Amino acid sequence: MSETHPIGAFIICDQGLDLRLQTVQRLGLSTAQILAPPASGRNETQIKELKRKFADTNVNITVVFCGFPGESYADIPTVIQTVGLVPEATRAERLQEAKEISDFAASMGVDAVGLHIGFIPEEADHPIYPQVLHVARELCDYCAGNGQRVHLETGQETAEALLRFFNDVERDNLAINFDPANMILYGSGEPIPALKRVGKHVKSVHCKDGKWAANPGSEWGEEVPLGEGDVNMELFLRTLKEIGYTGPLTIEREIAGEDQARDIERGVRLLRHLVTQIWEE
Ligand code: MG
């Protein structure tokens, strides 16, 4: 298997971490993206312990993702109201927490911080748009001070809106974590053409699959195991090759427990097969 495309998994650092790391190790994965622990889990002793666990399993953390208290993914309208740095009522405190997560990531030796920034308005004259630009710049500048990139998780906006946002933020350390399934789940456009359009900004990816909703954009699509949805994993990887992507292929499966471990294992098998076929043909 090509060393330039290490397969990884997205893992949450809660009380189930040891079990998840065992799975990652059993599957022979060398990378992971993690969801940052809550503030109560980021003191010096806890950071030391986390570092030891990842070092012991030889798993390299490639992106630390921010999650914020009060976020809910119950349905699309709730995501708009509660997720990321867009909602005004929580913006200042979440920006502060994102900076603290940047510091946490720095002490873990990680050079990228990821987040769902929230729904970026499709219209540049939307009253909230300049505010979102401002908060994105402030986070980018703070992370630049820690030698880090900021990876925006895709899904909630079209490729066009995302590209315009990148041009308007004007920060070199702003990048994309491309999640093809999210585009389907949120109904924000066909993922493969979108990947081609935003490709130059893509520095990390989620290998995740999903099925379109009956009414895309107003209701959720369904997240399914890798290879069973509408993404077309082979075409996704071929397109990554086409845009010159050489980073990790991080499997994200947003369920819990043994079912998650089983689906990640199947996902690893599928990716290894495709990587061999596509990059070594
Ligand atoms: Mg994702």
Side-chain angles (χ1 to χ4, degrees):
M1 194 183 46
S2 170
E3 277 303 304
T4 53
H5 298 89
I7 294 168
F10 183 93
I11 54 182
I12 297 173
C13 292
D14 59 8
Q15 61 278 13
L17 175 66
D18 291 350
L19 215 57
R20 292 192 188 94
L21 273 176
Q22 278 173 26
T23 303
V24 165
Q25 196 173 27
R26 179 171 57 80
L27 298 176
L29 306 186
S30 57
T31 70
Q33 295 184 356
I34 65 167
L35 180 67
S40 60
R42 299 196 294 260
N43 70 32
E44 216 174 299
T45 317
Q46 290 158 320
I47 288 172
K48 220 169 154 184
E49 178 69 4
L50 263 182
K51 281 174 89 165
R52 186 191 58 76
K53 285 182 180 180
F54 279 89
D56 284 355
T57 44
N58 286 317
V59 174
N60 181 33
I61 302 171
T62 53
V63 185
V64 172
F65 266 80
C66 301
F68 303 109
E71 289 185 317
S72 167
Y73 290 84
D75 52 38
I76 294 176
T78 308
V79 174
I80 294 174
Q81 284 163 20
T82 67
V83 167
L85 302 178
V86 174
E88 218 167 341
T90 49
R91 193 183 300 146
E93 67 193 66
R94 286 184 180 174
L95 174 62
Q96 178 54 35
E97 177 149 25
K99 290 175 179 176
E100 288 164 19
I101 290 172
S102 164
D103 293 341
F104 160 77
S107 51
M108 295 289 292
V110 181
D111 67 358
V113 172
L115 82 162
H116 275 286
I117 199 166
F119 272 79
I120 299 167
E122 291 285 319
E123 313 83 27
D125 58 356
H126 191 288
I128 219 167
Y129 187 74
Q131 301 173 25
V132 184
L133 279 182
H134 181 78
V135 75
R137 286 179 187 136
E138 195 169 332
L139 181 60
C140 283
D141 292 344
Y142 189 87
C143 289
N146 276 329
Q148 294 161 330
R149 295 180 307 276
V150 174
H151 291 200
L152 297 186
E153 170 88 349
T154 54
Q156 296 156 349
E157 49 286 310
T158 61
E160 287 70 27
L162 201 57
L163 273 181
R164 190 190 54 223
F165 187 69
F166 265 74
N167 289 334
D168 293 345
V169 172
E170 294 181 303
R171 292 297 186 273
D172 291 341
N173 65 328
L174 187 62
I176 289 176
N177 181 83
F178 194 91
D179 183 327
N182 277 356
M183 304 215 54
I184 290 171
L185 301 178
Y186 286 93
S188 48
E190 287 286 351
I192 304 298
L195 175 59
K196 289 181 182 173
R197 292 212 59 186
V198 304
K200 65 175 177 180
H201 300 295
V202 174
K203 299 287 183 207
S204 59
V205 299
H206 284 164
C207 293
K208 190 172 89 183
D209 216 337
K211 291 186 173 175
W212 292 98
N215 300 298
S218 47
E219 59 192 48
W220 278 126
E222 185 198 354
E223 193 220 341
V224 296
L226 215 58
E228 295 179 18
D230 295 325
V231 167
N232 187 342
M233 272 304 141
E234 180 174 348
L235 191 58
F236 177 59
L237 296 192
R238 286 194 184 281
T239 309
L240 287 175
K241 183 182 182 185
E242 192 181 309
I243 66 168
Y245 178 79
T246 55
L249 302 169
T250 306
I251 297 172
E252 183 181 35
R253 181 65 172 126
E254 301 195 75
I255 56 173
E258 288 175 18
D259 289 350
Q260 186 192 44
R262 179 205 59 210
D263 286 354
I264 289 176
E265 180 163 6
R266 289 181 185 167
V268 168
R269 252 184 272 141
L270 174 67
L271 288 183
R272 283 191 174 139
H273 169 73
L274 290 173
V275 164
T276 306
Q277 194 179 312
I278 293 167
W279 269 277
E280 296 173 10
E281 66 186 5

